[in-house]
Amino acid sequence: MALDKGTPVYSSDGEEIGKVATVVADVQKDIFSGISFKHGLLGTEHFVPADAIGELTDQAVHLNLSADQAQELQHHSG
């Protein structure tokens, strides 16, 4: 599945916490590592490891983390 930049990212408590900035993967090895998301145009990118993603569709990413937990994720420099 292709996940587009700008796809909404939701916390486990249903809050939209940002938009997909990048998909982190090794296409040649077929390994999906996770995504980074950003809240707003000037927001910091946060990396979400694959095991913290509960559901991934072409319409949205739903995390297994609350909004507060998601904001504590490590920063991602793309």
Side-chain angles (χ1 to χ4, degrees):
M1 168 194 326
L3 185 63
D4 293 329
K5 182 177 181 177
T7 301
V9 177
Y10 293 94
S11 64
S12 62
D13 41 3
E15 183 179 335
E16 183 177 333
I17 57 172
K19 307 276 187 194
V20 171
T22 56
V23 175
V24 182
D26 185 334
V27 177
Q28 292 178 335
K29 294 182 181 178
D30 196 29
I31 298 172
F32 172 67
S33 299
I35 64 160
S36 69
F37 75 91
K38 196 170 21 171
H39 185 74
L41 292 174
L42 302 176
T44 303
E45 277 188 45
H46 296 275
F47 175 70
V48 181
D51 62 356
I53 297 172
E55 183 180 13
L56 184 69
T57 70
D58 59 347
Q59 300 293 313
V61 177
H62 297 272
L63 305 183
N64 292 328
L65 305 171
S66 70
D68 289 339
Q69 290 171 317
Q71 292 304 319
E72 296 298 318
L73 292 167
Q74 73 181 20
H75 292 184
H76 185 327
S77 57

